[in-house]
């Protein structure tokens, strides 16, 4: 996996936008101008990977949603990128009949069925537009890549395959089958794009096992069908996987419900937890100044601003996994270095304004011309730097406001102690009844983590006391009903998960020195340093990737789609540790686990891990799903 999945999916999209021929490098000719028509699914896949400018460079003059009102542009080719659904196909047939474009390149995000293809053929015949349909392609791109090493299955219909959907008590077998098929279809697309056939391991008796069985079958069928196999020849890239195959570890969300509820302390996970962060874009509401509006005036509307946090953003790439205090300090340093460069340009300007003919000025001029030339040439870079500094100042300030208003540092530290079973310095009841600390949701998250991690469930009397405190604090208790059932069930199934025994060490409060010159007033926020500890998902991966024997993972099933006969065994054929692995969480994942895996693999030379999940939720969204389950 020398090339990350992001790069592979981007290359595939660029090839598609170039009418499915690889774009020629350094060709100076103008691109062919064309229109891109996508549905919401296509939009979600393209938007984290290609910017509007990149699309324009590839000759895309207009990009429109399939179901919007579109005017005919008769002399331009159109590239379609849509899911093969009934309504999409009806609309495409309508476009053919109305002769909207010069030619049509139809690309389906996942494979189209024979009957639907026939519908399109009939429509093309009826509209006598057969010659205009230039190409029809299955792209196998039905997944969304968010980082070089992270992907999520879908965003539009995520409610269909959410944790709630999989764990509903009244779910019918047919519904479950449909959910699993959706997940498998996307995973299959992922491996086609990756160009590799994995060795699959999964836990028994969970939704993850159903996914594994289906995926194994689908990969196997595709390999056997020699004529149409997607894993042969040029698609595999030149001998990239000459000898090593990746390991796919399928885990079920139910092995660890505490982590998605956990308050976090690293930058990316915090942004996802407290702000509106979605497909790599963060939306902020800017509070407008109230003081200068006259009495009785309507309050100003809040400005909404959105920022893209992309791989091109070096600051983000470097610090998205750093603890928050470190991020605040780095933004400050960047700002100071920028100011110094700006002052230098200003100083040169003032020197250049020298009048008079005296010797000194002339010698200074020749010396400074060189300096000025270099200053001018570094201007675009300076402006970009300024944009990134402003962006992170705004985002970090918004996060900091939440941390201070809700005492998130206190919650984070307290939960770490619960999860590592260390002694607590303050009773849980005090935390819940403290009116200043956190929102009702924060308190609920804390209590659920305590409940999930308690070896012995609290006695009825204690539980009533906690419930009363939670209700007084304004919490909605429905998630607890579900977690109670889940815990009773999980207890029968296995021992409680351990989270390692490391806790966050406070380094004392922030030094005042940093506060004086900084625009981040961090007073009173704890400067917590993280100790690396593996979360359950990372531990499972470590056991399976390094072939360690461990009761937790010894009975994981083993599938190898390349083997002729599928054998139901937990005994791996291959005894060597894997170099590459993909961890996929059925039932939803989060940035905390992703970051934990990234930190884990940093210490392993030459190894790579990708993290994928059926949907990406933050604690608020997860609590909502739990409370829906608890209402039953």
């Amino acid at each position: 996996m020398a090339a990350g999945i992001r790069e592979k999916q981007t290359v595939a999209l660029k090839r598609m936008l170039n009418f499915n021929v690889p774009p020629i490098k350094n060709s100076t000719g103008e691109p062919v101008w064309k229109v891109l028509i996508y549905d919401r699914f296509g939009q979600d896949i393209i938007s984290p990977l290609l910017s509007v400018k990149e699309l324009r460079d590839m000759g895309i003059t207009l990009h429109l949603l399939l179901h919007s009102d579109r005017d005919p542009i008769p002399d331009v080719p159109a590239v379609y990128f849509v899911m093969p659904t009934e309504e999409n196909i009806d609309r495409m047939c309508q476009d053919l009949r109305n002769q909207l474009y010069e030619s049509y390149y139809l690309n389906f995000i996942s494979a189209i069925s024979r009957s639907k293809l026939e519908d399109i053929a009939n429509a093309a015949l009826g509209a006598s537009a057969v010659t205009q349909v230039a190409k029809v392609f299955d792209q196998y791109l039905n997944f969304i890549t968010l980082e070089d090493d992270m992907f999520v299955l879908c965003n539009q219909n995520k409610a269909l395959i959410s944790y709630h959907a999989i764990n509903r008590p009244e779910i019918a077998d047919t519904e479950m089958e449909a959910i699993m098929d959706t997940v498998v279809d996307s995973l299959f697309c992922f491996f086609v794009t990756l160009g590799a056939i994995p060795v699959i391991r999964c836990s028994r008796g969970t939704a993850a096992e159903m996914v594994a069985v289906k995926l194994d079958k689908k990969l196997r069928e595709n390999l056997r069908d020699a004529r149409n196999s997607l894993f042969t020849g040029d698609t595999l890239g030149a001998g990239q996987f000459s000898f090593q195959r990746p390991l796919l570890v399928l885990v079920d969300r139910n092995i660890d419900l505490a982590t998605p509820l956990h308050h976090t302390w690293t930058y990316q996970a915090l942004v996802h937890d407290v702000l509106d962060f979605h497909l790599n874009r963060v939306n902020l509401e800017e509070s407008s100044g109230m003081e200068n509006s006259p009495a009785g005036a309507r309050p100003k509307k809040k400005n909404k601003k959105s920022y893209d946090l992309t791989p091109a953003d070096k600051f983000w790439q470097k610090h998205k996994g750093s603890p928050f205090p470190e991020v605040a300090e780095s933004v400050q340093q960047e700002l100071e270095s920028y100011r110094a460069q700006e002052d230098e340009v200003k100083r040169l300007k003032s020197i250049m304004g020298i009048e008079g003919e005296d010797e000194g000025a002339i010698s200074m001029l020749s010396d400074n011309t060189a300096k000025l030339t270099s200053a001018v040439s570094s201007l675009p870079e300076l402006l970009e730097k300024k944009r990134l500094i402003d962006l992170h100042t705004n985002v970090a300030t918004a996060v900091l406001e939440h941390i201070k208003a809700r005492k998130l540092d206190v919650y984070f530290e307290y939960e770490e102690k619960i999860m590592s079973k260390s002694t607590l310095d303050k009773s849980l009841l005090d935390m819940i009844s403290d009116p200043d600390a956190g929102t009702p949701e924060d308190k609920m998250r804390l209590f659920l983590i305590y409940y999930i991690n308690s070896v012995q469930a609290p006695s009825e009397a204690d539980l009533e006391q906690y419930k009363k405190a939670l209700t007084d604090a304004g919490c909605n208790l429905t998630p607890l009903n579900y977690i109670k059932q889940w815990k009773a069930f999980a207890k029968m199934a296995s021992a409680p998960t351990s989270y390692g025994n490391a806790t966050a060490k406070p380094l004392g409060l922030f030094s005042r020195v940093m506060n004086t010159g900084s625009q981040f007033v961090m007073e009173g926020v704890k400067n917590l340093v993280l100790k690396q500890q593996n979360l359950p998902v990372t531990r499972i991966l470590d056991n399976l990737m390094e072939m360690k024997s461990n009761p937790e993972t010894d009975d994981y099933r083993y599938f190898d789609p390349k083997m002729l006969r599928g054998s139901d065994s937990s005994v791996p054929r291959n005894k060597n540790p894997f170099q590459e692995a993909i961890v996929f969480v059925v039932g939803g994942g989060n940035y905390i686990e992703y970051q934990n895996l990234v930190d884990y693999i940093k210490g392993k030379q030459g190894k790579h891990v990708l993290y994928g999940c059926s949907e990406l939720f933050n604690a608020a969204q997860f609590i909502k799903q739990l409370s829906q389950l608890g209402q039953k």
Side-chain angles (χ1 to χ4, degrees), residues 340-399:
Q341 279 173 292
E342 198 180 41
D343 291 346
E344 175 67 0
V345 176
K346 281 186 184 148
R347 194 178 66 82
L348 289 171
K349 267 190 184 158
S350 67
I351 293 174
M352 294 315 257
I354 300 169
E355 261 86 58
E357 288 295 309
D358 62 334
E359 290 295 297
I362 288 174
S363 67
M364 268 170 81
L365 261 180
S366 57
D367 182 28
N368 278 314
T369 318
K371 278 191 186 167
L372 192 74
T373 326
S374 82
V376 168
S377 62
S378 69
L379 263 179
E381 201 181 304
L382 257 183
L383 289 170
E384 176 57 12
K385 199 170 178 183
K386 172 94 171 74
R387 185 185 73 79
L388 290 182
I389 293 170
D390 288 349
L391 184 160
H392 287 286
T393 305
N394 291 345
V395 172
T397 309
V399 170

Side-chain angles (χ1 to χ4, degrees), residues 22-37:
I24 303 159
K25 291 248 163 41
N26 55 36
S27 60
T28 45
E30 281 281 298
V32 181
W33 298 112
K34 48 194 169 285
V35 187
L36 170 64
I37 313 285

